[in-house]
Amino acid sequence: MSFRDLRNFTEMMRALGYPRLISMENFRTPNFTLVAEILIWLVKRYEPQMDIPTDVDTESDRIFFIKAVAQFMATKAHIKVNTKRLYQADGYAVKEMLKITSVLYSAMKTKQMALGELIEEDNSKFKFDLSSRVSDLKAARQLASEVTSKGASLYDLLGKEVDLREMRTAAIARPLEINETEKALRAAIKEVLQSVEETKDMLSNVVSDETSLDAKIEKKKQELERNRKRLQTLQSVRPAFMDEYEKIEEDLQKQYETFVEKFRNLCFLESQLDEYHRLEQERFEEAENMMRMMQHVLREEEEERDLTRSSLKDEDSDMDVPEDEGSDSDMDESRPSKPRPTQNGIMAGRRARFIGNMQGGDSDETEDSEIDVDEDDEDDDEGEEEEGKDLEDNSLEGPGSRGARPSKGGMRPPLLEESDNDF
């Protein structure tokens, strides 16, 4: 059953003038009363004088009613319906009833269209509308196909009529012989008696089979009763190993509880150990990062110290004055009386060296002063070498030992506070 069929059926019944309102929900479940009312109404619509039994209380009455309706529709309306589906009284019955309602609905539509055509012909005889005759063309085409098929079947039957006529006339013309009739009747009676004997034998066999089956059933019942009693005795008797089994079961329960407790403790300790390893790893990574930072800082300080040493050596080499035998005026111009420059306060405690003489004098005095200056330069070079060694020793000994050791030419501040050796 489809929703479309149910909708078409309800619309057709409403158009045909069925007095009761049919809902699409009436056929969700079997409703034989409603189906019977609809079938009676449809039959009355076909043949008002038709007498059909309306009693559908018992199963036999329903079957008789469905058969009567199906026979009427087959003989009068040439409509073949499925009695099994009609008896179901659900959506499948709607399909069968739709065959009847569709014929009535088409007849009604044809009549209405014929009346409408007559009215239109009266109003305008010269107006011709092909769209209004489409249904008539379809009906005519269908009737023509039915006439053709029925004519073909009738022609075939009439073709066999020649042979059938001869056989019929021969059978009618043959004289009736009492002996042959008597023989035929005796043969039929004999066959009936044989069938009756066979039926009696079957009935006797059924009785014997029934007695044998009753004996088997009684035997099985007795066996079942014995088995039930044996089962009850087995259930009432306590096995010998039951006490030991219960004791072992109690021990197993205790062992299981102990195992669960130890397993839970083990899981907790493993989680704590994992947490400890994680914290240790984080500390180790932090220490490594700090070591890298300290190494980087010390490397930068070492580079600065190397740069400072190289700058000091460059300045000392620039400040060294070569010996010259020129005049006093040339010496005064080439050797100005300026102190040696220092960087970062390293040479703050040393004596300033002056070349030449601030006052005029003899050449002998000038030569003596130059000799003194040369000796001072040699002493300064030796002092610088000793100071370099002292700086290296101080870097190894620490800032306290460097502050306690004086250098030549005065107290000198430490170059660096930390070194790689301290690390």
Side-chain angles (χ1 to χ4, degrees):
M1 181 198 70
S2 63
F3 178 79
R4 183 179 179 182
D5 295 337
L6 188 58
R7 183 191 61 188
N8 292 337
F9 178 73
T10 54
E11 293 295 332
M12 287 180 183
M13 293 297 291
R14 189 181 297 111
L16 290 173
Y18 184 67
R20 178 178 174 179
L21 183 62
I22 300 174
S23 175
M24 288 186 288
E25 298 293 332
N26 293 132
F27 298 99
R28 298 294 181 186
T29 57
N31 192 354
F32 194 85
T33 305
L34 179 60
V35 172
E37 291 179 1
I38 293 171
L39 289 174
I40 292 169
W41 187 82
L42 292 174
V43 170
K44 293 293 183 182
R45 190 70 184 266
Y46 264 103
E47 185 64 38
Q49 303 299 328
M50 184 65 186
D51 187 13
I52 293 179
T54 59
D55 190 10
V56 292
D57 293 335
T58 62
E59 183 179 355
S60 60
D61 294 337
R62 292 177 183 177
I63 294 171
F64 183 73
F65 171 75
I66 294 295
K67 284 183 178 181
V69 171
Q71 186 177 3
F72 172 79
M73 288 298 169
T75 55
K76 298 294 182 180
H78 300 285
I79 298 172
K80 184 179 180 181
V81 294
N82 193 340
T83 56
K84 184 178 179 181
R85 290 186 176 180
L86 283 176
Y87 189 78
Q88 289 179 0
D90 55 0
Y92 293 101
V94 173
K95 285 187 176 181
E96 302 302 323
M97 292 187 293
L98 189 62
K99 298 177 183 178
I100 306 170
T101 55
S102 61
V103 176
L104 291 173
Y105 184 75
S106 62
M108 185 187 69
K109 294 292 288 184
T110 304
K111 185 177 180 181
Q112 289 178 357
M113 290 174 67
L115 293 174
E117 287 175 1
L118 291 174
I119 295 170
E120 288 179 359
E121 287 178 359
D122 293 336
N123 293 332
S124 57
K125 293 182 180 180
F126 300 101
K127 187 181 290 185
F128 181 75
D129 189 6
L130 185 62
S131 62
S132 63
R133 297 181 178 272
V134 173
S135 60
D136 293 340
L137 292 173
K138 290 182 179 180
R141 189 180 296 111
Q142 185 177 2
L143 291 173
S145 62
E146 290 180 0
V147 168
T148 304
S149 61
K150 290 184 181 295
S153 62
L154 183 61
Y155 178 77
D156 294 335
L157 294 174
L158 290 174
K160 297 178 181 178
E161 178 62 20
V162 179
D163 299 332
L164 294 174
R165 187 187 299 117
E166 293 178 357
M167 294 173 65
R168 186 169 61 249
T169 55
I172 292 171
R174 188 176 60 184
L176 185 63
E177 294 181 359
I178 298 175
N179 294 326
E180 293 181 356
T181 305
E182 187 177 358
K183 286 181 181 180
L185 290 174
R186 286 177 181 176
I189 292 169
K190 189 176 180 180
E191 290 178 357
V192 170
L193 291 174
Q194 287 179 359
S195 64
V196 169
E197 290 294 332
E198 290 178 357
T199 306
K200 287 181 178 179
D201 293 337
M202 292 176 63
L203 289 174
S204 62
N205 292 330
V206 167
V207 172
S208 62
D209 293 338
E210 184 178 359
T211 54
S212 63
L213 289 173
D214 290 337
K216 290 181 180 178
I217 290 170
E218 188 66 25
K219 186 177 180 181
K220 292 294 182 181
K221 286 182 178 179
Q222 292 176 2
E223 186 177 356
L224 178 62
E225 189 67 24
R226 286 197 303 271
N227 291 328
R228 284 180 179 176
K229 290 181 180 179
R230 185 177 180 184
L231 178 62
Q232 290 177 359
T233 55
L234 290 174
Q235 289 177 351
S236 61
V237 175
R238 185 179 177 84
F241 56 86
M242 199 65 188
D243 296 334
E244 185 178 0
Y245 171 76
E246 291 177 353
K247 184 178 180 181
I248 293 172
E249 189 175 6
E250 291 178 357
D251 294 339
L252 179 62
Q253 184 67 27
K254 293 179 181 179
Q255 294 294 331
Y256 178 73
E257 292 176 357
T258 306
F259 166 74
V260 169
E261 183 178 1
K262 289 184 179 180
F263 183 76
R264 186 168 56 249
N265 295 334
L266 179 62
C267 292
F268 175 74
L269 292 175
E270 287 179 352
S271 63
Q272 293 293 322
L273 182 61
D274 294 337
E275 183 70 18
Y276 175 74
H277 288 322
R278 186 179 63 79
L279 294 175
E280 287 293 327
Q281 185 67 22
E282 290 179 357
R283 291 196 192 99
F284 181 71
E285 290 177 357
E286 290 178 359
E288 283 188 348
N289 293 330
M290 291 296 294
M291 293 287 288
R292 291 193 190 97
M293 292 175 64
M294 291 175 64
Q295 289 177 1
H296 183 66
V297 170
L298 292 174
R299 195 176 294 111
E300 289 181 354
E301 291 178 356
E302 183 67 22
E303 290 176 358
E304 290 178 0
R305 189 176 62 186
D306 293 339
L307 290 173
T308 305
R309 287 179 180 175
S310 61
S311 62
L312 288 175
K313 289 181 182 180
D314 293 338
E315 288 176 359
D316 290 339
S317 62
D318 291 337
M319 292 303 295
D320 289 337
V321 179
E323 294 181 357
D324 192 0
E325 293 179 357
S327 61
D328 294 334
S329 62
D330 295 332
M331 294 297 291
D332 292 333
E333 292 174 0
S334 62
R335 296 182 181 179
S337 59
K338 292 181 180 180
R340 293 180 64 184
T342 59
Q343 185 177 0
N344 299 325
I346 297 172
M347 303 298 293
R350 297 185 60 179
R351 255 183 340 190
R353 293 191 298 170
F354 296 96
I355 301 172
N357 192 4
M358 295 297 290
Q359 297 177 357
D362 298 336
S363 60
D364 297 331
E365 291 177 357
T366 303
E367 292 177 357
D368 294 334
S369 63
E370 289 176 358
I371 293 168
D372 294 331
V373 169
D374 293 334
E375 290 176 358
D376 292 334
D377 291 336
E378 293 176 357
D379 296 333
D380 290 337
D381 294 334
E382 294 177 356
E384 286 175 0
E385 293 177 358
E386 292 177 0
E387 286 173 1
K389 294 180 180 179
D390 294 333
L391 286 173
E392 291 177 357
D393 295 334
N394 291 332
S395 64
L396 296 173
E397 292 173 2
S401 62
R402 286 198 299 268
R405 179 179 292 178
S407 63
K408 185 178 180 181
M411 298 297 290
R412 208 182 266 186
L415 292 176
L416 296 173
E417 295 294 330
E418 295 177 356
S419 65
D420 293 337
N421 294 326
D422 293 334
F423 178 78

